[in-house]
C-alpha cells in the first residue's frame, strides 16, 4: 500500500491514495484510512468529503472499531465512473467497458481487415467505442477515458506507435492524438504487456505481491513489470521487452537487430512455421490431412487443439517451446528477483496450463537460490481478455494511483 504525504501540492496524489485504499479494503473507516496511508486525520476528512461530494465513495453502515468506538464504513461507488479498454492486435480488436471496481460490464469483439490503413483502423476504433457506449446505456460524463494497448515498440508518454513488427504499416502513428480527436475522450496508449500487468491487479490477480512479471503472448511475446508495487516502464518506456531477450546469439535474425530472440523462437508464428516444416517433411500427425488440403488452416489454434488431444508432433513442439520460454523466464527472475510470473493473453488461452507447468518446472530446477525462495507461475485472472482489461485499467491506474514523480515542477 502506498503512503500519502502531508506536503503541499499533493491534492490529486493524496486523493488517489485514499481512493486506492478504499477500493482495496472496502468497509474502511476514516481513522483506519489515516493509519493505513500515513495521512493526518484532518487531511483524510477533507479528501473523503470531496469524494462523497463527487459521489465516488459512499458511507455504508456503522460498526464497532478498535477501542469500542463506532466507525462509519466507506465504500467505493462502483457505478460512479467507467473506463473503456481497447486491445489492438494485427487482425482483431477487443473492447470492454469497466466499472471503477475493475468489473467488466460490457464488451465487443471485431475483426480488422489487414488491408485497412492505420488511419482507417483508428476511425473504426472510434466508431466501435461510440457504439459500445450507446449499447451500455452510459452517459458520456461517466466515462473517464479510453485505454488502448498495442504491440510495441511505442511511446507511452506521447501515445505514438513506432513500427511494431506485428503492425507492419503502423510507422510513427499518433494513435492517442487521433483517437482523442475522434472520440472526445482522454486516451492513454501503452504496450500490451505492461497494460496486462496493470490489469492483473484490477482483475484480482497478483494481490499482495510487490514484484511480479507478466508474460503476455498474443501475436508476439512481451513482458510487463511491477517493481516495488509500481508499474515499471523504464527511462524511455521500452522496459519489459521480454520477447527480445536472446536465447541464442547465433539463432535466427529478429527484426530488432538481434538473433535468437524469444519472440523468434517462441511466438505463435514461429511455432506454426516449425510445425509446417515438419509436416512438409512427412512427420506423422493428426494435422497432416488438413495441412495437405489447406496449409493456412494449420494455425496456432489448430496446433493447440492437436497438442491437447495428445498428437505427438504438436505436443512435442509446444513442450519444446515452453521449455525455451521457461529459460527466458529464469533469466528474468534472476535479474529482477520477482516472486511471481503471470501468463496471459490470447496465446495462452488453450495451452496456458501446459505452459504454466513446464515453466514452473524450469524455474524450480534452474533459478538461482531456488532452495531459499518460492517463485510461482500463475495464469492471468483476466484470461484471454488480459489485453482489453489491461487497457481499461490504464485509465483506472492513472485515476487511482498517480505517481509522486508527477508532482515535480516541469
Amino acid at each position: 500500500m502506498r503512503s500519502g504525504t502531508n506536503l503541499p501540492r499533493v491534492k490529486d496524489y493524496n486523493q488517489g491514495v485514499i481512493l486506492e485504499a478504499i477500493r482495496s479494503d472496502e468497509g474502511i473507516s476514516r481513522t483506519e484510512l489515516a493509519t493505513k496511508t500515513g495521512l493526518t486525520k484532518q487531511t483524510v476528512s477533507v479528501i473523503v468529503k470531496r469524494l462523497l461530494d463527487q459521489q465516488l465513495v459512499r458511507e455504508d453502515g456503522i460498526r464497532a472499531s478498535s477501542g469500542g468506538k463506532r466507525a462509519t464504513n466507506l465504500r467505493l461507488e462502483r457505478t460512479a465512473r467507467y473506463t473503456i479498454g481497447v486491445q489492438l492486435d494485427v487482425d482483431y480488436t477487443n473492447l470492454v467497458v469497466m466499472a471503477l471496481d475493475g468489473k467488466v460490464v460490457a464488451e465487443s469483439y471485431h475483426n480488422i481487415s489487414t488491408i485497412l490503413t492505420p488511419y482507417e483502423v483508428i476511425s473504426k476504433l472510434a466508431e466501435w467505442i461510440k457504439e459500445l457506449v450507446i449499447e451500455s446505456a452510459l452517459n458520456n460524463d461517466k466515462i473517464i477515458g479510453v485505454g488502448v494497448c498495442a504491440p510495441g515498440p511505442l511511446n507511452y508518454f506521447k501515445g505514438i506507435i513506432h513500427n511494431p513488427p506485428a503492425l507492419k504499416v503502423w510507422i510513427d502513428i499518433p494513435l492517442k492524438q487521433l483517437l482523442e480527436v475522434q472520440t472526445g475522450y482522454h486516451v492513454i496508449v501503452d504496450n500490451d504487456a505492461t497494460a496486462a500487468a496493470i490489469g492483473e491487479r484490477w482483475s484480482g490477480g497478483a494481490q499482495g505481491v510487490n514484484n511480479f512479471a507478466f508474460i503476455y503472448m498474443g501475436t508476439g511475446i512481451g513482458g510487463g513489470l511491477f517493481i516495488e508495487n509500481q508499474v515499471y516502464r523504464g527511462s524511455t518506456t521500452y522496459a519489459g521487452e521480454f520477447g527480445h531477450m536472446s536465447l541464442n546469439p547465433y539463432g535466427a535474425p529478429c527484426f530488432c537487430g538481434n538473433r535468437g530472440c524469444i519472440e523468434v523462437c517462441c511466438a505463435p508464428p514461429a511455432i506454426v512455421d516449425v510445425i509446417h516444416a515438419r509436416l512438409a517433411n512427412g512427420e506423422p500427425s493428426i494435422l497432416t490431412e488438413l495441412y495437405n488440403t489447406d496449409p493456412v488452416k494449420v494455425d496456432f489454434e489448430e496446433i493447440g487443439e492437436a497438442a491437447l488431444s495428445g498428437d505427438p508432433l504438436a505436443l512435442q513442439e509446444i513442450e519444446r517451446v515452453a521449455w525455451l520460454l521457461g529459460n527466458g523466464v529464469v533469466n528474468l527472475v534472476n535479474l529482477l528477483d520477482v516472486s511471481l510470473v503471470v501468463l496471459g493473453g490470447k496465446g495462452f488461452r488453450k495451452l496456458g496450463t501446459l505452459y504454466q507447468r513446464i515453466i514452473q518446472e524450469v524455474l524450480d530446477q534452474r533459478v538461482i537460490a531456488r532452495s531459499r525462495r518460492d517463485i510461482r507461475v500463475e495464469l492471468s485472472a483476466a484470461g484471454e481478455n488480459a489485453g482489453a482489461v489491461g487497457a481499461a485499467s490504464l485509465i483506472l491506474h492513472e485515476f487511482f494511483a498517480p505517481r509522486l514523480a508527477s508532482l515535480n515542477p516541469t
Side-chain angles (χ1 to χ4, degrees), residues 271 274-288 291 298 303 306-307 310-320:
I271 295 171
V274 171
I275 291 292
H276 279 204
R278 295 179 68 176
L279 289 171
N281 285 334
E283 295 190 41
S285 169
I286 61 175
L287 296 167
T288 300
Y291 177 78
V298 181
I303 294 168
D311 177 64
L313 177 64
L315 185 59
Q316 182 188 66
E317 183 58 25
I318 295 297
E319 289 179 339
R320 183 188 71 85

PDB file of all heavy atoms in Angstrom, residues 271 274-288 291 298 303 306-307 310-320:
ATOM      1  N   ILE A 271       6.039 -21.059 -33.964  1.00  0.00           N
ATOM      2  CA  ILE A 271       5.572 -22.432 -33.753  1.00  0.00           C
ATOM      3  C   ILE A 271       4.900 -22.956 -35.018  1.00  0.00           C
ATOM      4  O   ILE A 271       5.125 -24.102 -35.443  1.00  0.00           O
ATOM      5  CB  ILE A 271       4.614 -22.490 -32.549  1.00  0.00           C
ATOM      6  CG1 ILE A 271       5.377 -22.133 -31.265  1.00  0.00           C
ATOM      7  CG2 ILE A 271       3.952 -23.859 -32.433  1.00  0.00           C
ATOM      8  CD1 ILE A 271       4.487 -21.959 -30.052  1.00  0.00           C
ATOM      9  N   VAL A 274       7.493 -23.926 -37.672  1.00  0.00           N
ATOM     10  CA  VAL A 274       8.188 -25.187 -37.391  1.00  0.00           C
ATOM     11  C   VAL A 274       7.272 -26.378 -37.673  1.00  0.00           C
ATOM     12  O   VAL A 274       7.686 -27.371 -38.298  1.00  0.00           O
ATOM     13  CB  VAL A 274       8.689 -25.223 -35.930  1.00  0.00           C
ATOM     14  CG1 VAL A 274       9.211 -26.618 -35.576  1.00  0.00           C
ATOM     15  CG2 VAL A 274       9.794 -24.191 -35.723  1.00  0.00           C
ATOM     16  N   ILE A 275       6.028 -26.289 -37.254  1.00  0.00           N
ATOM     17  CA  ILE A 275       5.077 -27.381 -37.491  1.00  0.00           C
ATOM     18  C   ILE A 275       4.866 -27.586 -38.993  1.00  0.00           C
ATOM     19  O   ILE A 275       4.845 -28.728 -39.490  1.00  0.00           O
ATOM     20  CB  ILE A 275       3.738 -27.107 -36.781  1.00  0.00           C
ATOM     21  CG1 ILE A 275       3.898 -27.207 -35.261  1.00  0.00           C
ATOM     22  CG2 ILE A 275       2.657 -28.066 -37.265  1.00  0.00           C
ATOM     23  CD1 ILE A 275       4.177 -28.598 -34.740  1.00  0.00           C
ATOM     24  N   HIS A 276       4.741 -26.504 -39.732  1.00  0.00           N
ATOM     25  CA  HIS A 276       4.569 -26.613 -41.188  1.00  0.00           C
ATOM     26  C   HIS A 276       5.770 -27.315 -41.818  1.00  0.00           C
ATOM     27  O   HIS A 276       5.612 -28.178 -42.702  1.00  0.00           O
ATOM     28  CB  HIS A 276       4.387 -25.229 -41.800  1.00  0.00           C
ATOM     29  CG  HIS A 276       3.000 -24.696 -41.687  1.00  0.00           C
ATOM     30  ND1 HIS A 276       2.478 -23.750 -42.543  1.00  0.00           N
ATOM     31  CD2 HIS A 276       2.004 -24.980 -40.807  1.00  0.00           C
ATOM     32  CE1 HIS A 276       1.231 -23.468 -42.201  1.00  0.00           C
ATOM     33  NE2 HIS A 276       0.920 -24.188 -41.143  1.00  0.00           N
ATOM     34  N   ALA A 277       6.966 -26.941 -41.372  1.00  0.00           N
ATOM     35  CA  ALA A 277       8.172 -27.546 -41.936  1.00  0.00           C
ATOM     36  C   ALA A 277       8.235 -29.043 -41.624  1.00  0.00           C
ATOM     37  O   ALA A 277       8.603 -29.868 -42.493  1.00  0.00           O
ATOM     38  CB  ALA A 277       9.413 -26.840 -41.384  1.00  0.00           C
ATOM     39  N   ARG A 278       7.837 -29.414 -40.423  1.00  0.00           N
ATOM     40  CA  ARG A 278       7.891 -30.833 -40.042  1.00  0.00           C
ATOM     41  C   ARG A 278       6.815 -31.637 -40.774  1.00  0.00           C
ATOM     42  O   ARG A 278       7.039 -32.789 -41.174  1.00  0.00           O
ATOM     43  CB  ARG A 278       7.748 -30.970 -38.524  1.00  0.00           C
ATOM     44  CG  ARG A 278       8.929 -30.356 -37.765  1.00  0.00           C
ATOM     45  CD  ARG A 278       8.779 -30.463 -36.263  1.00  0.00           C
ATOM     46  NE  ARG A 278       8.865 -31.858 -35.806  1.00  0.00           N
ATOM     47  CZ  ARG A 278       8.833 -32.215 -34.519  1.00  0.00           C
ATOM     48  NH1 ARG A 278       8.729 -31.288 -33.578  1.00  0.00           N
ATOM     49  NH2 ARG A 278       8.915 -33.489 -34.187  1.00  0.00           N
ATOM     50  N   LEU A 279       5.660 -31.035 -40.978  1.00  0.00           N
ATOM     51  CA  LEU A 279       4.609 -31.711 -41.746  1.00  0.00           C
ATOM     52  C   LEU A 279       5.030 -31.867 -43.214  1.00  0.00           C
ATOM     53  O   LEU A 279       4.775 -32.904 -43.832  1.00  0.00           O
ATOM     54  CB  LEU A 279       3.303 -30.918 -41.653  1.00  0.00           C
ATOM     55  CG  LEU A 279       2.592 -30.941 -40.297  1.00  0.00           C
ATOM     56  CD1 LEU A 279       1.444 -29.937 -40.279  1.00  0.00           C
ATOM     57  CD2 LEU A 279       2.072 -32.346 -39.979  1.00  0.00           C
ATOM     58  N   ALA A 280       5.683 -30.837 -43.747  1.00  0.00           N
ATOM     59  CA  ALA A 280       6.158 -30.912 -45.138  1.00  0.00           C
ATOM     60  C   ALA A 280       7.204 -32.001 -45.312  1.00  0.00           C
ATOM     61  O   ALA A 280       7.331 -32.587 -46.402  1.00  0.00           O
ATOM     62  CB  ALA A 280       6.730 -29.559 -45.552  1.00  0.00           C
ATOM     63  N   ASN A 281       7.922 -32.304 -44.227  1.00  0.00           N
ATOM     64  CA  ASN A 281       8.929 -33.368 -44.268  1.00  0.00           C
ATOM     65  C   ASN A 281       8.332 -34.757 -44.053  1.00  0.00           C
ATOM     66  O   ASN A 281       9.045 -35.762 -44.018  1.00  0.00           O
ATOM     67  CB  ASN A 281      10.007 -33.117 -43.214  1.00  0.00           C
ATOM     68  CG  ASN A 281      10.948 -32.008 -43.617  1.00  0.00           C
ATOM     69  OD1 ASN A 281      11.124 -31.738 -44.803  1.00  0.00           O
ATOM     70  ND2 ASN A 281      11.553 -31.349 -42.640  1.00  0.00           N
ATOM     71  N   GLY A 282       7.001 -34.800 -43.881  1.00  0.00           N
ATOM     72  CA  GLY A 282       6.314 -36.084 -43.780  1.00  0.00           C
ATOM     73  C   GLY A 282       6.221 -36.667 -42.386  1.00  0.00           C
ATOM     74  O   GLY A 282       5.876 -37.851 -42.233  1.00  0.00           O
ATOM     75  N   GLU A 283       6.500 -35.889 -41.352  1.00  0.00           N
ATOM     76  CA  GLU A 283       6.361 -36.419 -39.993  1.00  0.00           C
ATOM     77  C   GLU A 283       4.879 -36.670 -39.699  1.00  0.00           C
ATOM     78  O   GLU A 283       4.017 -35.854 -40.035  1.00  0.00           O
ATOM     79  CB  GLU A 283       6.960 -35.456 -38.975  1.00  0.00           C
ATOM     80  CG  GLU A 283       8.464 -35.286 -39.103  1.00  0.00           C
ATOM     81  CD  GLU A 283       9.065 -34.516 -37.949  1.00  0.00           C
ATOM     82  OE1 GLU A 283       8.647 -34.753 -36.791  1.00  0.00           O
ATOM     83  OE2 GLU A 283       9.962 -33.672 -38.192  1.00  0.00           O
ATOM     84  N   PRO A 284       4.553 -37.795 -39.069  1.00  0.00           N
ATOM     85  CA  PRO A 284       3.149 -38.152 -38.835  1.00  0.00           C
ATOM     86  C   PRO A 284       2.479 -37.245 -37.808  1.00  0.00           C
ATOM     87  O   PRO A 284       3.079 -36.855 -36.810  1.00  0.00           O
ATOM     88  CB  PRO A 284       3.245 -39.592 -38.315  1.00  0.00           C
ATOM     89  CG  PRO A 284       4.617 -39.710 -37.752  1.00  0.00           C
ATOM     90  CD  PRO A 284       5.488 -38.830 -38.585  1.00  0.00           C
ATOM     91  N   SER A 285       1.219 -36.936 -38.079  1.00  0.00           N
ATOM     92  CA  SER A 285       0.451 -36.069 -37.190  1.00  0.00           C
ATOM     93  C   SER A 285      -1.010 -36.111 -37.601  1.00  0.00           C
ATOM     94  O   SER A 285      -1.339 -36.354 -38.768  1.00  0.00           O
ATOM     95  CB  SER A 285       0.976 -34.631 -37.262  1.00  0.00           C
ATOM     96  OG  SER A 285       0.096 -33.731 -36.605  1.00  0.00           O
ATOM     97  N   ILE A 286      -1.895 -35.840 -36.655  1.00  0.00           N
ATOM     98  CA  ILE A 286      -3.315 -35.725 -36.995  1.00  0.00           C
ATOM     99  C   ILE A 286      -3.577 -34.454 -37.810  1.00  0.00           C
ATOM    100  O   ILE A 286      -4.677 -34.272 -38.344  1.00  0.00           O
ATOM    101  CB  ILE A 286      -4.206 -35.722 -35.732  1.00  0.00           C
ATOM    102  CG1 ILE A 286      -3.878 -34.523 -34.830  1.00  0.00           C
ATOM    103  CG2 ILE A 286      -4.071 -37.037 -34.975  1.00  0.00           C
ATOM    104  CD1 ILE A 286      -4.812 -34.407 -33.632  1.00  0.00           C
ATOM    105  N   LEU A 287      -2.572 -33.589 -37.908  1.00  0.00           N
ATOM    106  CA  LEU A 287      -2.698 -32.366 -38.696  1.00  0.00           C
ATOM    107  C   LEU A 287      -2.346 -32.570 -40.168  1.00  0.00           C
ATOM    108  O   LEU A 287      -2.543 -31.667 -40.983  1.00  0.00           O
ATOM    109  CB  LEU A 287      -1.786 -31.276 -38.114  1.00  0.00           C
ATOM    110  CG  LEU A 287      -2.118 -30.793 -36.699  1.00  0.00           C
ATOM    111  CD1 LEU A 287      -0.962 -29.970 -36.145  1.00  0.00           C
ATOM    112  CD2 LEU A 287      -3.408 -29.986 -36.703  1.00  0.00           C
ATOM    113  N   THR A 288      -1.845 -33.746 -40.513  1.00  0.00           N
ATOM    114  CA  THR A 288      -1.327 -33.981 -41.869  1.00  0.00           C
ATOM    115  C   THR A 288      -2.388 -33.773 -42.941  1.00  0.00           C
ATOM    116  O   THR A 288      -2.152 -33.086 -43.945  1.00  0.00           O
ATOM    117  CB  THR A 288      -0.757 -35.404 -41.978  1.00  0.00           C
ATOM    118  OG1 THR A 288       0.312 -35.549 -41.038  1.00  0.00           O
ATOM    119  CG2 THR A 288      -0.249 -35.676 -43.384  1.00  0.00           C
ATOM    120  N   TYR A 291      -3.220 -30.161 -43.363  1.00  0.00           N
ATOM    121  CA  TYR A 291      -2.088 -29.458 -43.961  1.00  0.00           C
ATOM    122  C   TYR A 291      -2.018 -29.718 -45.469  1.00  0.00           C
ATOM    123  O   TYR A 291      -1.792 -28.789 -46.259  1.00  0.00           O
ATOM    124  CB  TYR A 291      -0.781 -29.891 -43.295  1.00  0.00           C
ATOM    125  CG  TYR A 291       0.445 -29.263 -43.914  1.00  0.00           C
ATOM    126  CD1 TYR A 291       0.794 -27.948 -43.619  1.00  0.00           C
ATOM    127  CD2 TYR A 291       1.239 -29.982 -44.812  1.00  0.00           C
ATOM    128  CE1 TYR A 291       1.910 -27.363 -44.200  1.00  0.00           C
ATOM    129  CE2 TYR A 291       2.360 -29.405 -45.390  1.00  0.00           C
ATOM    130  CZ  TYR A 291       2.700 -28.089 -45.090  1.00  0.00           C
ATOM    131  OH  TYR A 291       3.796 -27.516 -45.663  1.00  0.00           O
ATOM    132  N   VAL A 298      -3.742 -24.781 -40.805  1.00  0.00           N
ATOM    133  CA  VAL A 298      -2.953 -25.321 -39.690  1.00  0.00           C
ATOM    134  C   VAL A 298      -2.301 -24.133 -38.988  1.00  0.00           C
ATOM    135  O   VAL A 298      -1.125 -23.819 -39.162  1.00  0.00           O
ATOM    136  CB  VAL A 298      -1.893 -26.328 -40.181  1.00  0.00           C
ATOM    137  CG1 VAL A 298      -1.102 -26.882 -39.003  1.00  0.00           C
ATOM    138  CG2 VAL A 298      -2.553 -27.461 -40.943  1.00  0.00           C
ATOM    139  N   ILE A 303      -3.005 -26.158 -33.937  1.00  0.00           N
ATOM    140  CA  ILE A 303      -1.865 -26.842 -33.322  1.00  0.00           C
ATOM    141  C   ILE A 303      -2.108 -27.036 -31.829  1.00  0.00           C
ATOM    142  O   ILE A 303      -1.814 -28.099 -31.266  1.00  0.00           O
ATOM    143  CB  ILE A 303      -0.567 -26.042 -33.574  1.00  0.00           C
ATOM    144  CG1 ILE A 303      -0.235 -26.054 -35.062  1.00  0.00           C
ATOM    145  CG2 ILE A 303       0.590 -26.619 -32.756  1.00  0.00           C
ATOM    146  CD1 ILE A 303       0.841 -25.064 -35.458  1.00  0.00           C
ATOM    147  N   ALA A 306      -4.504 -29.866 -31.356  1.00  0.00           N
ATOM    148  CA  ALA A 306      -3.826 -31.140 -31.595  1.00  0.00           C
ATOM    149  C   ALA A 306      -2.963 -31.533 -30.403  1.00  0.00           C
ATOM    150  O   ALA A 306      -2.930 -32.703 -29.993  1.00  0.00           O
ATOM    151  CB  ALA A 306      -2.982 -31.051 -32.865  1.00  0.00           C
ATOM    152  N   ALA A 307      -2.258 -30.559 -29.819  1.00  0.00           N
ATOM    153  CA  ALA A 307      -1.416 -30.839 -28.658  1.00  0.00           C
ATOM    154  C   ALA A 307      -2.253 -31.324 -27.480  1.00  0.00           C
ATOM    155  O   ALA A 307      -1.887 -32.286 -26.788  1.00  0.00           O
ATOM    156  CB  ALA A 307      -0.621 -29.593 -28.279  1.00  0.00           C
ATOM    157  N   GLY A 310      -3.235 -34.852 -27.607  1.00  0.00           N
ATOM    158  CA  GLY A 310      -2.151 -35.830 -27.458  1.00  0.00           C
ATOM    159  C   GLY A 310      -1.356 -36.110 -28.712  1.00  0.00           C
ATOM    160  O   GLY A 310      -0.547 -37.042 -28.735  1.00  0.00           O
ATOM    161  N   ASP A 311      -1.558 -35.325 -29.782  1.00  0.00           N
ATOM    162  CA  ASP A 311      -0.785 -35.531 -31.002  1.00  0.00           C
ATOM    163  C   ASP A 311       0.704 -35.372 -30.701  1.00  0.00           C
ATOM    164  O   ASP A 311       1.137 -34.303 -30.233  1.00  0.00           O
ATOM    165  CB  ASP A 311      -1.214 -34.507 -32.053  1.00  0.00           C
ATOM    166  CG  ASP A 311      -0.397 -34.626 -33.334  1.00  0.00           C
ATOM    167  OD1 ASP A 311      -0.496 -35.673 -33.992  1.00  0.00           O
ATOM    168  OD2 ASP A 311       0.348 -33.682 -33.649  1.00  0.00           O
ATOM    169  N   PRO A 312       1.529 -36.378 -30.958  1.00  0.00           N
ATOM    170  CA  PRO A 312       2.948 -36.319 -30.582  1.00  0.00           C
ATOM    171  C   PRO A 312       3.700 -35.151 -31.202  1.00  0.00           C
ATOM    172  O   PRO A 312       4.519 -34.503 -30.535  1.00  0.00           O
ATOM    173  CB  PRO A 312       3.498 -37.662 -31.074  1.00  0.00           C
ATOM    174  CG  PRO A 312       2.313 -38.570 -31.125  1.00  0.00           C
ATOM    175  CD  PRO A 312       1.161 -37.691 -31.529  1.00  0.00           C
ATOM    176  N   LEU A 313       3.445 -34.864 -32.471  1.00  0.00           N
ATOM    177  CA  LEU A 313       4.172 -33.789 -33.145  1.00  0.00           C
ATOM    178  C   LEU A 313       3.847 -32.437 -32.508  1.00  0.00           C
ATOM    179  O   LEU A 313       4.761 -31.680 -32.137  1.00  0.00           O
ATOM    180  CB  LEU A 313       3.817 -33.773 -34.629  1.00  0.00           C
ATOM    181  CG  LEU A 313       4.450 -32.640 -35.458  1.00  0.00           C
ATOM    182  CD1 LEU A 313       5.968 -32.792 -35.480  1.00  0.00           C
ATOM    183  CD2 LEU A 313       3.895 -32.636 -36.879  1.00  0.00           C
ATOM    184  N   ALA A 314       2.567 -32.127 -32.399  1.00  0.00           N
ATOM    185  CA  ALA A 314       2.164 -30.840 -31.835  1.00  0.00           C
ATOM    186  C   ALA A 314       2.579 -30.718 -30.373  1.00  0.00           C
ATOM    187  O   ALA A 314       3.085 -29.675 -29.942  1.00  0.00           O
ATOM    188  CB  ALA A 314       0.651 -30.662 -31.972  1.00  0.00           C
ATOM    189  N   LEU A 315       2.375 -31.772 -29.595  1.00  0.00           N
ATOM    190  CA  LEU A 315       2.704 -31.740 -28.175  1.00  0.00           C
ATOM    191  C   LEU A 315       4.203 -31.572 -27.970  1.00  0.00           C
ATOM    192  O   LEU A 315       4.646 -30.787 -27.108  1.00  0.00           O
ATOM    193  CB  LEU A 315       2.217 -33.013 -27.496  1.00  0.00           C
ATOM    194  CG  LEU A 315       2.382 -33.079 -25.966  1.00  0.00           C
ATOM    195  CD1 LEU A 315       1.643 -31.935 -25.299  1.00  0.00           C
ATOM    196  CD2 LEU A 315       1.881 -34.429 -25.442  1.00  0.00           C
ATOM    197  N   GLN A 316       4.995 -32.272 -28.753  1.00  0.00           N
ATOM    198  CA  GLN A 316       6.452 -32.165 -28.631  1.00  0.00           C
ATOM    199  C   GLN A 316       6.917 -30.740 -28.905  1.00  0.00           C
ATOM    200  O   GLN A 316       7.772 -30.199 -28.189  1.00  0.00           O
ATOM    201  CB  GLN A 316       7.121 -33.136 -29.610  1.00  0.00           C
ATOM    202  CG  GLN A 316       8.638 -33.140 -29.526  1.00  0.00           C
ATOM    203  CD  GLN A 316       9.267 -33.970 -30.635  1.00  0.00           C
ATOM    204  OE1 GLN A 316       9.177 -33.636 -31.814  1.00  0.00           O
ATOM    205  NE2 GLN A 316       9.880 -35.094 -30.255  1.00  0.00           N
ATOM    206  N   GLU A 317       6.345 -30.115 -29.933  1.00  0.00           N
ATOM    207  CA  GLU A 317       6.773 -28.760 -30.281  1.00  0.00           C
ATOM    208  C   GLU A 317       6.354 -27.750 -29.217  1.00  0.00           C
ATOM    209  O   GLU A 317       7.126 -26.853 -28.846  1.00  0.00           O
ATOM    210  CB  GLU A 317       6.198 -28.358 -31.640  1.00  0.00           C
ATOM    211  CG  GLU A 317       6.646 -27.001 -32.140  1.00  0.00           C
ATOM    212  CD  GLU A 317       8.161 -26.878 -32.261  1.00  0.00           C
ATOM    213  OE1 GLU A 317       8.859 -27.911 -32.418  1.00  0.00           O
ATOM    214  OE2 GLU A 317       8.657 -25.739 -32.194  1.00  0.00           O
ATOM    215  N   ILE A 318       5.128 -27.862 -28.706  1.00  0.00           N
ATOM    216  CA  ILE A 318       4.670 -26.933 -27.671  1.00  0.00           C
ATOM    217  C   ILE A 318       5.517 -27.101 -26.408  1.00  0.00           C
ATOM    218  O   ILE A 318       5.919 -26.115 -25.773  1.00  0.00           O
ATOM    219  CB  ILE A 318       3.180 -27.149 -27.353  1.00  0.00           C
ATOM    220  CG1 ILE A 318       2.307 -26.794 -28.573  1.00  0.00           C
ATOM    221  CG2 ILE A 318       2.758 -26.313 -26.142  1.00  0.00           C
ATOM    222  CD1 ILE A 318       2.375 -25.355 -29.016  1.00  0.00           C
ATOM    223  N   GLU A 319       5.812 -28.324 -26.031  1.00  0.00           N
ATOM    224  CA  GLU A 319       6.631 -28.558 -24.839  1.00  0.00           C
ATOM    225  C   GLU A 319       8.044 -28.013 -25.027  1.00  0.00           C
ATOM    226  O   GLU A 319       8.634 -27.456 -24.098  1.00  0.00           O
ATOM    227  CB  GLU A 319       6.668 -30.052 -24.522  1.00  0.00           C
ATOM    228  CG  GLU A 319       5.347 -30.583 -23.984  1.00  0.00           C
ATOM    229  CD  GLU A 319       5.391 -32.076 -23.697  1.00  0.00           C
ATOM    230  OE1 GLU A 319       6.263 -32.771 -24.269  1.00  0.00           O
ATOM    231  OE2 GLU A 319       4.545 -32.550 -22.911  1.00  0.00           O
ATOM    232  N   ARG A 320       8.587 -28.157 -26.242  1.00  0.00           N
ATOM    233  CA  ARG A 320       9.926 -27.628 -26.516  1.00  0.00           C
ATOM    234  C   ARG A 320       9.945 -26.107 -26.382  1.00  0.00           C
ATOM    235  O   ARG A 320      10.845 -25.528 -25.747  1.00  0.00           O
ATOM    236  CB  ARG A 320      10.369 -28.029 -27.930  1.00  0.00           C
ATOM    237  CG  ARG A 320      11.779 -27.587 -28.293  1.00  0.00           C
ATOM    238  CD  ARG A 320      12.079 -27.837 -29.766  1.00  0.00           C
ATOM    239  NE  ARG A 320      11.348 -26.932 -30.639  1.00  0.00           N
ATOM    240  CZ  ARG A 320      11.759 -25.701 -30.959  1.00  0.00           C
ATOM    241  NH1 ARG A 320      12.900 -25.235 -30.462  1.00  0.00           N
ATOM    242  NH2 ARG A 320      11.054 -24.959 -31.773  1.00  0.00           N
TER     243      ARG A 320
END
